[in-house]
Amino acid sequence: MPQKNSPAVNLNLNVRGLPLSATLRINEISNQMIREGKHVFKLGLGQSPFPVPAPVEEELKANAFQKDYLPVLGLSELRKAISAYFARTQAVTYGFDNIMVGPGSKELMFILQLVYYGDLVIPTPSWVSYAPQAHIIGRPIRWLPTKASHGWRLSPQEIENVFKMDPERPRLLILNYPNNPHGSSYSTNELREIARIAKKYRVVLLSDEIYGELKHNGEHISIARFYPEGTIISSGLSKWCGAGGWRLGVFAFPESLTWLKNAMAAVASETFTSTSAPIQYAAVRAFEGGREIEDYLFRSRMILKALGKQMVKEMTEANIAVNMPDGAFYLFPDFSHFRDKLLQNDIENSEQLCERLLSETGIAILPGSAFGRPPNELTARLSYVDFDGAKILTATHRFSDGQEPDVHFLEVYAPNCIRAIRIMVEWLKKL
Ligand code: GLU
């Protein structure tokens, strides 16, 4: 039977001339330079330096034979493990049927923006892909201001100022903490306040907690505790489980947003179908947790905290303004104190700063402009991940009780990160 013609659809996807995402582009440029024999300090892409924990890797090996398509929303055993994980770690109840698994949380975010009709509301700075995803789909973007002096965190008042201008407007607010690109997190009181405002204006809150397990003090708190009916939690294996390339992301939906989950499942079924089967079986083990995984996380956090602290110390001593991170593996320095010197060297904006730094020192970092900062602001994101994660984890096993990595330890086990800062400081001095 001939098919009925579809009605004309005016779908203007904004993809013409779109460049590769900044994080992936810097990785490809860095790898190309390495292939050409140059030394690159790879502080561009935010990839976990740590190996996948042994029990999770073992589980993947044992499940290599899994070859069937899995349910669109994910393997039920995995969805149950994720539901139990959120109950155990955050005391929040997301039934297993309200969990959706996808090939990376990035893909789930794109589909969410596709199916939800509201404006995207994000802070500046924000991770590189939220805004381009909205741009591709054609959603309006509302940037919320933040200040370095307030740790680049959103102030509840600023959020309310924007929301009250048009109180009924449907909105998707993305909150990401510990944050990419600056590592800050929120206090419990701040989370309570933001939750109160989100609830008052009935916004859909996407809480991007992909770095939650990497809060340096191990005490991440989900905002879902304070606004359970409107919060979708986003997480995945990429950061805390060292498995970015495995591509496994998860969304946990409140009951009231089941319609969104169903709409996303429909799009998923017409696009990625289902997430890789062996990866999903292995992910069950990751979300079950246990002693070995806790130990791995404890050591990862200890290393990231000490390294972040040392780098901040050396940058601050050199007059580079930078905040101490609360979690993850990012720093967001501001080079404004060097503006005059930089200008004399034809460096006017963050992009030129990063290009010159890469070509003259081999240090790869990303410009603040890629994160929604004004182009002429001299901010940049530095991912302090250029070290051998397996080697440094093993080295911490020789620590005595309560011992923490000191500068000598970091010079030996994270030499590229420490050297990069010292070379950067020298470069600035010699300009
Ligand atoms: N989230 C990581 C970053 O900001 C890398 C992955 C990505 O951007 O897709 O560098």
Side-chain angles (χ1 to χ4, degrees), residues 94-141:
Y94 286 88
F96 98 95
D97 48 340
N98 288 330
I99 306 288
M100 178 170 185
V101 177
S105 55
K106 190 174 187 173
E107 183 65 23
L108 294 177
M109 285 170 193
F110 181 74
I111 297 181
L112 174 66
Q113 293 213 55
L114 189 71
V115 301
Y116 186 61
Y117 46 82
D119 293 1
L120 174 68
V121 185
I122 45 175
T124 160
S126 268
W127 173 53
V128 295
S129 290
Y130 303 135
Q133 289 189 347
H135 175 73
I136 290 169
I137 297 164
R139 298 273 176 241
I141 304 166

Side-chain angles (χ1 to χ4, degrees), residues 21 23-24 44-46 106 127-129 180 211 239 330 381:
S21 185
T23 50
L24 302 164
L45 178 70
K106 190 174 187 173
W127 173 53
V128 295
S129 290
N180 177 1
Y211 300 98
K239 311 301 179 184
Y330 301 114
R381 186 194 76 174

